Structure formats: C-alpha cells, structure tokens
Amino acid sequence: MKQHFIIDGKKTQGRNGTFDVISPRDQSILHSMPNASEADVLDAVEAAQRAFPLWRNMGGVERQKLFLAWADLIDANRDMIAAEVSVEMGVLKDDVVGTAGYIADMIRYYSGFIVTNYGDVLSFEDDHMNVVVNEPLGVIAAMPPWNSPIESTIQKCAPALAAGNTVVLRVPEEAPSGGLILAQLAVEAGFPAGVLNALAGMGPESGEALVGHQKVRLVSFTGSAPTGRIIARTCAEQMKPVVMELGGKSPVIIFDDARIADAIESSVSSAFCFQGQICCATTRVLVHESILDEVVKGIAERVERYDVDNEAFPIGPLFNDKVFHTVEKFVAQGKKDGTLVAGGGVIEREGGGRYHQPTVFLFKDDSSVVCKEEIFGPVLAIIPFSSDEEAITIANNVDYGLAATVYSENRQRIFKTIRQLESGTVWANCNFKFNMHMPWGGPKSTGIGREFGKYAMKPYLQEKNIWIGN
Ligand code: NAD
C-alpha cells in the first residue's frame, strides 16, 4: 500500500520530506513515509474541526452503519493489514491477522455506544425541566505506540468517534502503516471527510504541534511515562484533559502455598512474550524465601528453552536501537547489583537484527534500578520476601501500577493482597487475561484514565446541565 496521510478524506503526501521506516528483523529500510510538518498538523486539526458539527449531529443509526462497514472492511483486509504491520513490528504475520480481527470486533462493540449516550432527566415539574446531556468534546488527538499500533489506534479512535468527536490520529513513526491503513479504510467505509484524519511524523515536531493545538480538546496518548509527562505539561497549560496509558513494572507474587509450576510458567511466558516489549510484561517475580531455590531453578530451566529458531519458545528481534541499548544498559547494571540466573548476553546473528537473550537476575532486595524502572525488554528480576506484608510493600514500591499477579492457594490471602495492591488490573492464579469490555490502565506513573469497555467512553463526553423554564 502506498504511504500517505489521510487529511480531510483525501490522501496527501505532507510537506516535510520523508523519513525511513526500519525493519526490526534486519535493519533494512522498509519504505519511506511522509513526515508531517506543523502545517500538515494544522490542516488535519482544521479538517477535524470542520467535520465536527456534521459528525456529532449525524443520526445514531447512520453512524452505527459506518462503524459496521468500517469493521467489515478491516475484516476483509486482515491479510493486507497484517502484511504491512508485521514487517514494521518484526512479528509473525499470522499474529497480526488475529489482531486485525480483534480490532474489527472492537469497532463493532463501540458501535453499540453510539446511540446510548443520552443523559438523565433530573427533574420535570410544572414550571421547569432539568436534564443533563452528555456531549462530545470536539477534536481529539489520538497517539498510539509502536508496540500495539493497530489495537491502540482503535482503543482510542472507536470510543472517541462513538461519542461524536472527530479525531486526528498521529501514528507511531516507527510502525506507521497500520494506523494509516485503518484511517484509509474508514474513508472507504463512507466516514465523512475530516472525521478521522491520520498522519505520521516525529514526536517532538508533529506530536508537540498536535498536543499544543488550541482546537484539540483532549489528548489520548500511549507511550512512556517521560513522554507522557511532557505532553501532560503542555495540556495543563491549556487545561486540556488527557488519557494516558503509560508504562509498567508488573509484579508476580508467588506465596509459599502457590502452585509453583503454574506460577513459574506464567511468570516466564508473560515476561518474555514479544521480548518483554509489552506494557504489562511481568518484570518482577517476588518469591517467598522458603521456595526461592525451587522457583529460581524452575525459572532458569524454563528460560533456557528460548531460542531464535525455536517455534514454541521463540526469541524475536528487539524493536530498534533504542530498546537494544536500554536493555544492554540494564543488563550491565543487573550484573553489578544481582546474581545472573539466565541469559545475560547479546545473540550474534547473520543478517542483522538486534537479538538479546531472555535474562533473569536474582536480587537480595528491590533496591537495584533493575527492580524499579521500566526496561521494556527481556529482563526479569527475582526478589525474595519473608512475609505477606513485605511482598505487598515490594510490589507497590515502584512508580507504576498497571498489572499485578498473585499466586496462592489461600483465598483469604489472595483477597487481602488484592485489596492492598496499587494496580489497575490484578490477576490471581492466572495471568495475561484481557477483555475488551473491561477497563485497562492504572495509577501512579502508569497514567490517567482507562481504556476499553464503557470506561473508555467517559473522557470523550462532557456533561451539560440544562434547565428549561416556562
Ligand atoms: P515513547 O514515549 O518513547 O514514544 C511514544 C510516542 O511519543 C512516539 O510516537 C513519539 O514520536 C511520541 N513523542 C515523543 N516525544 C513527543 C513529544 N514531545 N510530544 C508528543 N509526542 C511525542 O514510548 P515508546 O517507547 O514508543 O513506547 C513504549 C512505551 O509505551 C512503554 O513505556 C510502554 O509501557 C508504553 N505502553 C503502554 C501501554 C498501556 O496500555 N499502558 C500500551 C503499550 C505501550
């Protein structure tokens, strides 16, 4: 598919030259992408602003039909979408085919919210009526990340559009094609010009221009906490609300009464899925001291099974140089602060690509920076604890709170622990369960607001309190 922006329903090339999209598999140049300038951002926001009255006033059934046609087109183009997205992400095409089907369903799901956002009648008496209606905000800036370029695009765009807003989508520059294709398919499905605009560009240029635009009424961003803070500061100046889905440092707590084999399997598989480049990857395994040796041995044995050419336990490429150098830095630090349990080295391969062994460290306590900061790569820290209270303290002793997992056969202990964990999602005796109906997000530097389900609708609507007298 030719690379282009979608602005005001038309394909455009932008006015700022191009940038190269690099393959994670061999670091070759996959293609050149137009690079959005501030003027392109301005055009996109103005197109969205012009389209807003038409879109917010369009009948619910008409809008619902457009959503369903969009979902059908995505389904019909799953293969093409997957072919474009998988090479940019460095993953298997089949995995993205499944994701494309999932996001088509997510659009169908949010089509159900289009006609149900009516308000409440608060009082209706002889001399007055008082009602509250929910109204869309206007132009929304949607900014998904490279590690979930199509899911995150729909997580933001579907509820924002269902609420009656128009959208400027700034696709991640490292994996831009998926979002641009989805916007193109929305146009083909019949969405009016300007309702969903999409462009690609560099964060500090096109991203800042979009975030700081006065006519953008809300910014929905998924990315790292440091970038989230920069964006939130700009928004604070303009009293602009934000939805922020940021990082994680997710713990698994393995109590002494846990099913140890299950706990080991789920800790390892969620730590090293997509080389740990997942926001909710398990990056800290907290283990009761009485079972520490058994768990460390079990984790080491399980991790040894990973290999680049092993289809069942694969090691894929790290996404880019930035991720690779971050991983190298934290692995070097882990070797100083803790004991290496597995991995620890770069994998040299012919044909390019940045590969790193899944790496596990055992620490005496959680004071190392490896136990505190998000690495976003294949590095797992094991930390022992001696009491339930200490486990909870360590679990909460990070700046993030996206997801936490608890393994125990004692129901009371599980309930007590869940209540005390500072975490948006808690899994108990299971792990990595997701459901588009359920909220996603978390406290502290993990962000602001929730995505998925009815919870995602809230930020995209504002209440208007109306009194009507005689
Ligand atoms: P990042 O913060 O480095 O970059 C994200 C995006 O921000 C990029 O597209 C970049 O161009 C843009 N950007 C950079 N500077 C900007 C600025 N000044 N103004 C506006 N935009 C700017 O994050 P990343 O490394 O690309 O993504 C990985 C991060 O995303 C991890 O921290 C991960 O945990 C997080 N993430 C969170 C979730 C979640 O649901 N909580 C999901 C996926 C990823």
Side-chain angles (χ1 to χ4, degrees):
M1 172 162 291
K2 192 161 163 27
Q3 315 302 333
H4 49 68
F5 301 161
I6 300 291
I7 297 180
D8 208 13
K10 295 187 270 299
K11 298 177 184 176
T12 74
Q13 283 297 315
R15 281 170 273 178
N16 202 20
T18 59
F19 64 89
D20 293 333
V21 180
I22 308 294
S23 161
R25 292 223 165 262
D26 58 13
Q27 286 153 317
S28 61
I29 296 174
L30 290 170
H31 42 248
S32 287
M33 183 62 67
N35 186 13
S37 64
E38 205 177 324
D40 297 315
V41 171
L42 209 76
D43 286 352
V45 175
E46 284 181 353
Q49 178 75 18
R50 280 195 302 277
F52 178 54
L54 171 85
W55 182 245
R56 68 171 291 180
N57 293 323
M58 186 185 276
V61 176
E62 281 75 24
R63 283 196 279 148
Q64 212 165 26
K65 282 181 184 165
L66 291 173
F67 263 55
L68 297 178
W70 187 24
D72 289 346
L73 270 182
I74 292 172
D75 257 341
N77 285 284
R78 281 163 54 169
D79 246 46
M80 179 272 285
I81 295 168
E84 298 280 344
V85 173
S86 58
V87 291
E88 290 181 353
M89 291 183 71
V91 298
L92 296 177
K93 186 179 152 203
D94 281 354
D95 292 345
V96 188
V97 171
T99 308
Y102 172 76
I103 61 168
D105 281 345
M106 202 186 299
I107 291 171
R108 294 185 183 103
Y109 170 74
Y110 279 107
S111 77
F113 286 89
I114 291 172
V115 290
T116 56
N117 284 319
Y118 299 124
D120 307 311
V121 176
L122 294 185
S123 62
F124 184 27
E125 295 175 16
D126 289 351
D127 60 344
H128 80 274
M129 184 166 73
N130 177 203
V131 294
V132 173
V133 293
N134 292 308
E135 296 189 325
L137 278 63
V139 180
I140 305 296
M143 301 170 68
W146 58 261
N147 78 328
S148 50
I150 58 173
E151 304 94 302
S152 185
T153 291
I154 298 304
Q155 273 164 241
K156 296 175 187 310
C157 293
L161 293 168
N165 302 282
T166 54
V167 173
V168 177
L169 167 68
R170 200 197 74 95
V171 300
E173 64 269 33
E174 307 92 337
S177 295
L180 296 173
I181 293 168
L182 295 178
Q184 166 71 30
L185 293 177
V187 172
E188 287 174 23
F191 276 64
V195 169
L196 176 56
N197 308 275
L199 43 74
M202 299 302 119
E205 294 163 18
S206 62
E208 278 186 21
L210 181 59
V211 167
H213 197 300
Q214 287 286 350
K215 286 181 184 158
V216 169
R217 294 286 184 241
L218 178 148
V219 175
S220 178
F221 172 74
T222 299
S224 67
T227 310
R229 282 194 190 93
I230 295 172
I231 292 172
R233 271 197 286 273
T234 305
C235 291
E237 281 297 316
Q238 300 175 1
M239 291 296 168
K240 191 181 283 185
V242 292
V243 176
M244 293 269 164
E245 297 294 342
L246 309 175
K249 191 72 184 172
S250 298
V252 175
I253 302 175
I254 310 181
F255 286 111
D256 53 2
D257 58 357
R259 273 176 277 141
I260 291 177
D262 289 358
I264 289 172
E265 177 55 36
S266 89
S267 302
V268 173
S269 57
S270 70
F272 299 117
C273 176
F274 193 34
Q275 292 71 250
Q277 302 166 123
I278 297 182
C279 52
C280 57
T282 296
T283 47
R284 297 180 297 149
V285 179
L286 319 186
V287 187
H288 191 267
E289 59 190 7
S290 65
I291 53 168
L292 184 64
D293 291 347
E294 185 182 353
V295 173
V296 170
K297 186 166 171 278
I299 286 180
E301 283 170 5
R302 172 64 174 77
V303 171
E304 296 301 336
R305 296 164 80 176
Y306 281 109
D307 199 352
V308 175
D309 300 314
N310 186 334
E311 276 184 27
F313 302 101
I315 299 174
L318 294 179
F319 184 66
N320 58 19
D321 285 349
K322 182 180 142 194
V323 175
F324 180 76
H325 292 312
T326 306
V327 170
E328 276 200 311
K329 184 184 88 179
F330 278 99
V331 168
Q333 192 61 44
K335 286 176 180 171
K336 286 185 195 149
D337 298 347
T339 306
L340 186 65
V341 169
V346 171
I347 301 172
E348 302 291 351
R349 280 193 99 218
E350 280 180 21
R354 300 288 214 174
Y355 289 78
H356 199 285
Q357 290 176 321
T359 296
V360 183
F361 292 106
L362 172 63
F363 295 94
K364 287 197 172 68
D365 57 36
D366 71 338
S367 56
S368 169
V369 72
V370 177
C371 304
K372 293 273 194 274
E373 288 188 19
E374 183 182 49
I375 301 170
F376 217 58
V379 183
L380 175 62
I382 303 176
I383 306 158
F385 66 83
S386 55
S387 67
D388 292 18
E389 290 68 32
E390 193 190 5
I392 293 159
T393 302
I394 297 172
N396 289 339
N397 194 26
V398 291
D399 204 19
Y400 296 102
L402 185 57
T405 306
V406 185
Y407 275 91
S408 166
E409 290 297 278
N410 180 330
R411 198 165 275 250
Q412 270 189 341
R413 183 182 244 172
I414 286 180
F415 287 170
K416 206 171 148 196
T417 306
I418 289 173
R419 279 205 304 277
Q420 294 180 78
L421 286 171
E422 296 172 344
S423 186
T425 292
V426 184
W427 294 295
N429 293 332
C430 64
N431 196 355
F432 253 44
K433 302 262 179 222
F434 305 96
N435 186 329
M436 70 171 78
H437 306 131
M438 296 301 172
W440 184 248
K444 302 195 276 190
S445 289
T446 287
I448 298 170
R450 296 291 185 270
E451 293 193 319
F452 287 124
K454 65 178 182 181
Y455 314 94
M457 295 298 297
K458 206 171 152 199
Y460 298 115
L461 291 161
Q462 55 189 337
E463 294 84 10
K464 182 179 277 175
N465 183 10
I466 304 168
W467 292 83
I468 303 168
N470 273 329

